[in-house]
Amino acid sequence: MRPLRSSGPRRSGLIAAALAVTAALALTGCSGASDDTSGGRDATVRVGLVLEPTSLDIRKQSGAALDQVLIDNVYQGLVGRTQDGGIRNVLASKRSVSADGRTYTFTLRDGIRFQDGTALTASDVAWSLDDFRASSTYVDAGDLASVSDVTAPDDHTVVVRLARPDSNLLFALTGRAGVVLERGAHNDRSDSAIGTGPFRVSSWKQGDSLTFTRWKGYWGAKAKVAKVVFRYITEASTAVNAMANGDLDVETAVDGTLKGQLQGASGITLHTGETTDKYTLAFNDREAPFTDVRVRRAIREAIDPKALIKAIGGTGVEQGGPIPALDPGYQDLTDIDAYDPADARKLLQQAGKHDLDLTLTYANIYPSTIGDVLTSQLAKVGITLHVKRVDFTTWLDQVFGKHDFQLSMVDHTESRDFGNWANPDYYFGYDNPQVQQLYADSLATTDTSERDADLRKAARIVSEDAAGEWLYTATTITAIRHGVTGFPTNSTSTRLDLSKLAVTG
């Protein structure tokens, strides 16, 4: 997961766990106070985000907050992803894959430079990939586990050889695993970044803002705005008020219960987008009472996703299993352990669990409404739920890191993160050898139809095991002020590619 991102938490990334991030943009001169030029290529755009990273180190800092703003804008890889999850060439002008799926050859574009002026060569790429796969402590470590060798036969060619076929390799290269760093750079990555993207990190005021400026030496089409200022706004009502009052110009992940304050507002349009944000109720499957499948199934059957989605303002769709609709291997599993409180009570009786007391621990960046609804629904089947909301840093340490929890809830934002359910060491603690084998098979095949079939089989097993409860897949509402164009509206909690962001008027 990159919890909110993670995102929110992916593999380590949940984190991938991932979180529904509220973001907002305010651009110069459209409205609100600003000393900068209005519109055009000199515009400044302010972006408000909920989740602030504690470090800018793209290798070591967990959480979706870094992927969301740094990848595509500052850091780039050989390939990148589209809003619908497709793969596109970025630093590579072309790529080829051998018939056996074990050799990938990439040709680099001409004229690429890092933001300190140093020319990028294939050796930087090879070093970056080798550096990533050599460490077990990096976020998403293991994404390049199938790679056996990376070489740079000349300055413009990179050859990646695999020990076995890996259907997920290209997607992994669109994330942290594929970020290309400068081999000879000596900057402190915890508070600075040197990439090849259209924007540079010009300043970071912790607890306040992160500022990007257009990099004039960018190899591709230059950014259409001069500056982007990400401001951290933790309260949903504060962000909505800022948008309504003209202090912001784009707000992503608008709270569904507050969207009415922006609907019909002059100069503002609301856009609904799709995501892979999986709001997941995690069971600590390694600990009692969750070692009993009857208890797990009872909890699932006690929860009415439709009522929960309504309570959060309708910004979600039912999921029913671990794979969302935008990802390979999706199937409708909502009939498994569907809402049935009467059967839930029977299952608890069969398990000998009467007057069960459980604690739900989740980060306070998520609305209290979720905990309130779950408390009410579980009470109807005889389960007393104690809700413990903590700051995100505490959640990362206690739940994600130490696995010290009974129930937790997080937005796993990352795409294609089913591998978390095939990892018994992940914080879920779910351990099923059959699922692990099917997932391994899905990676090893070069046939996408076979891959999808393996994932569907594995996902059904996970759902039938009641390994967790998938509350809903989030839909995202983005409020955009008139005059702002090119702002992404899908999967905004995982990636904000601002290369097309522009301001008119």
Side-chain angles (χ1 to χ4, degrees), residues 13 28 41 64 95-96 137 150 199 210 213 226 251 255 266 292 338 340 359 372 417 433 450 467 493-494:
T28 311
R41 300 188 66 84
R95 65 181 189 270
S96 63
T137 63
V150 183
F199 291 97
L210 177 66
T213 54
E251 181 191 352
D255 189 310
S266 177
D292 190 327
D340 189 345
T359 298
D372 294 341
D417 62 353
E450 290 182 1
S493 64
T494 54

Side-chain angles (χ1 to χ4, degrees), residues 157-330:
T157 306
V158 177
V159 179
V160 179
R161 295 182 177 84
L162 310 184
R164 59 186 182 278
D166 183 353
S167 65
N168 206 45
L169 178 70
L170 285 176
F171 189 81
L173 291 177
T174 69
R176 299 196 189 205
V179 163
V180 175
L181 304 174
E182 182 183 346
R183 183 173 188 172
H186 298 291
N187 65 301
D188 183 349
R189 289 200 292 264
S190 69
D191 60 9
S192 64
I194 298 176
T196 57
F199 291 97
R200 309 176 61 164
V201 174
S202 59
S203 67
W204 181 29
K205 299 177 182 178
Q206 285 186 278
D208 179 66
S209 63
L210 177 66
T211 300
F212 288 176
T213 54
R214 178 172 54 225
W215 183 46
K216 297 179 180 179
Y218 181 54
W219 58 268
K222 305 300 186 289
K224 298 178 181 179
V225 296
K227 184 184 295 185
V228 179
V229 180
F230 298 98
R231 295 177 54 200
Y232 297 99
I233 306 174
T234 58
E235 292 293 331
S237 59
T238 302
V240 167
N241 288 337
M243 186 73 197
N245 294 335
D247 296 325
L248 302 174
D249 290 278
V250 179
E251 181 191 352
T252 72
V254 174
D255 189 310
T257 65
L258 302 175
K259 64 184 179 183
Q261 298 180 34
L262 300 177
Q263 286 177 322
S266 177
I268 297 174
T269 302
L270 299 184
H271 302 262
T272 299
E274 296 180 287
T275 77
T276 57
D277 290 32
K278 302 163 289 295
Y279 277 75
T280 304
L281 181 66
F283 308 153
N284 192 340
D285 290 338
R286 59 175 63 80
E287 301 288 343
F290 306 103
T291 50
D292 190 327
V293 68
R294 295 170 296 187
V295 173
R296 302 197 301 267
R297 289 186 58 205
I299 293 173
R300 294 194 69 192
E301 292 184 3
I303 295 171
D304 181 359
K306 289 184 176 67
L308 178 57
I309 292 169
K310 182 179 179 180
I312 61 168
T315 53
V317 295
E318 291 184 78
Q319 185 167 318
I323 297 179
L326 289 181
D327 279 356
Y330 170 75

Side-chain angles (χ1 to χ4, degrees), residues 395-425:
W395 184 91
L396 283 173
D397 177 63
Q398 177 183 335
V399 177
F400 190 70
K402 297 177 181 176
H403 306 168
D404 180 14
F405 73 104
Q406 288 187 307
L407 292 166
S408 190
M409 194 287 301
V410 74
D411 171 14
H412 286 255
T413 65
E414 187 63 30
S415 303
R416 305 193 190 191
D417 62 353
F418 178 79
N420 294 332
W421 298 99
N423 178 7
D425 294 326

Side-chain angles (χ1 to χ4, degrees), residues 357-421:
D357 273 46
L358 298 173
T359 298
L360 168 64
T361 305
Y362 72 99
N364 57 15
I365 55 176
Y366 300 112
S368 59
T369 302
I370 295 176
D372 294 341
V373 172
L374 294 178
T375 298
S376 176
Q377 291 184 349
L378 292 180
K380 293 178 182 178
V381 302
I383 297 175
T384 299
L385 188 65
H386 306 279
V387 177
K388 180 182 178 183
R389 297 176 75 220
V390 299
D391 63 78
F392 189 60
T393 301
T394 299
W395 184 91
L396 283 173
D397 177 63
Q398 177 183 335
V399 177
F400 190 70
K402 297 177 181 176
H403 306 168
D404 180 14
F405 73 104
Q406 288 187 307
L407 292 166
S408 190
M409 194 287 301
V410 74
D411 171 14
H412 286 255
T413 65
E414 187 63 30
S415 303
R416 305 193 190 191
D417 62 353
F418 178 79
N420 294 332
W421 298 99

